[in-house]
Amino acid sequence: KVLVLRPRRELVPLASPTLFLDATAESRIFEIVLGDAFEFYEITARRSGRVVQIGNALMNITALRGARGQEYIEKIQRLIDRSSEAGRTGVILTYRDMKDRFQVPQGWKIDHFGALRGTNKYAGMNTAVIVGRWQLPPTAIEDKVAALVSSTELEPDMSGAQTKEVRGYRMRDGSLLGKNVTVYTDRIWQAFNEQSREAELEQAVDRLRLVWS
């Protein structure tokens, strides 16, 4: 089996200055796609919301399908039901294969990772319950990296090697905490990893349009 990987289409030269807007664009990928022909600016937008993160239980797809998966789902369902009973309206955002495992309260919606970006369907809601994260398998990242660098002289480490790195959290009171997370040692691999995982979480939170609330 021979797998040929390449970008979907050639870039079209731009005849005039052009502005690209993307709330979660990954500069490490754009640098390769567009080269020196662009400048990248990050705009920090304050969201008018309160984020509560569960840190004592894994909620990824493997855990939800595992021996304690039903226990986790029941705990999440109780949280959803309490929020609904308190008068909140919201959306449940999770894996596509997990959508039928949750009971959706009246007035609530449910959606899945990979189908969130750009939608305004949940702009009037005040609660988002996000279950899991959109983590691509190494084989998918390998294909994306290979396609991206196919017409360049870049030689990324295609082994998929990983290591631990401290990532920071800014708490509600302004304090800073750190936690060891697994990252790819190659910066392009890690860029694609974050473009799906971290960026999809940001997009999930922003379905409530908290910047404008």
Side-chain angles (χ1 to χ4, degrees):
K1 179 180 178 180
V2 177
L3 183 64
V4 179
L5 300 165
R6 63 187 180 207
R8 184 171 296 177
R9 60 175 65 90
E10 295 294 327
L11 292 177
V12 178
L14 300 174
S16 59
T18 304
L19 176 66
F20 295 92
L21 296 176
D22 190 320
T24 50
E26 175 49 66
S27 60
R28 287 167 292 183
I29 297 174
F30 270 69
E31 288 170 355
I32 298 172
V33 174
L34 299 177
D36 298 329
F38 85 114
E39 296 180 7
F40 191 90
Y41 295 94
E42 182 176 352
I43 301 173
T44 301
R46 183 179 180 86
R47 297 165 176 84
S48 302
R50 181 172 182 266
V51 176
V52 178
Q53 181 176 359
I54 297 174
N56 61 351
L58 288 175
M59 294 292 178
N60 58 32
I61 189 68
T62 302
L64 293 175
R65 288 173 173 170
R68 300 186 62 186
Q70 186 58 36
E71 175 188 343
Y72 294 149
I73 290 171
E74 290 174 358
K75 288 182 177 180
I76 299 166
Q77 188 66 57
R78 288 195 293 271
L79 173 63
I80 294 169
D81 293 341
R82 286 198 300 268
S83 297
S84 176
E85 292 165 2
R88 292 184 171 276
T89 58
V91 56
I92 306 162
L93 303 171
T94 187
Y95 304 99
R96 182 172 58 183
D97 294 346
M98 288 287 119
K99 289 169 64 175
D100 61 353
R101 303 287 298 275
F102 295 100
Q103 298 294 320
V104 183
Q106 184 176 0
W108 282 55
K109 304 290 184 181
I110 191 167
D111 213 333
H112 61 272
F113 301 134
L116 308 177
R117 302 193 182 200
T119 182
N120 284 315
K121 293 186 292 184
Y122 314 115
M125 296 180 168
N126 54 38
T127 303
V129 178
I130 304 170
V131 185
R133 62 183 183 180
W134 203 28
Q135 175 85 43
L136 293 180
T139 52
I141 295 179
E142 180 182 16
D143 289 348
K144 290 178 179 291
V145 173
L148 180 66
V149 304
S150 63
S151 58
T152 74
E153 296 182 357
L154 295 173
E155 297 182 356
D157 178 7
M158 300 300 288
S159 69
Q162 296 179 326
T163 187
K164 292 290 185 179
E165 183 178 285
V166 176
R167 290 295 178 92
Y169 291 85
R170 185 175 63 251
M171 308 303 287
R172 193 175 301 116
D173 62 4
S175 62
L176 301 177
L177 298 178
K179 184 176 181 180
N180 278 320
V181 298
T182 301
V183 299
Y184 289 102
T185 57
D186 185 88
R187 66 187 300 270
I188 304 176
W189 278 65
Q190 184 60 21
F192 275 112
N193 190 40
E194 294 178 13
Q195 185 62 60
S196 62
R197 187 180 62 192
E198 279 83 352
E200 192 72 1
L201 285 174
E202 285 188 60
Q203 290 283 343
V205 170
D206 285 341
R207 292 315 92 210
L208 301 182
R209 298 310 190 194
L210 299 175
V211 173
W212 310 108
S213 61

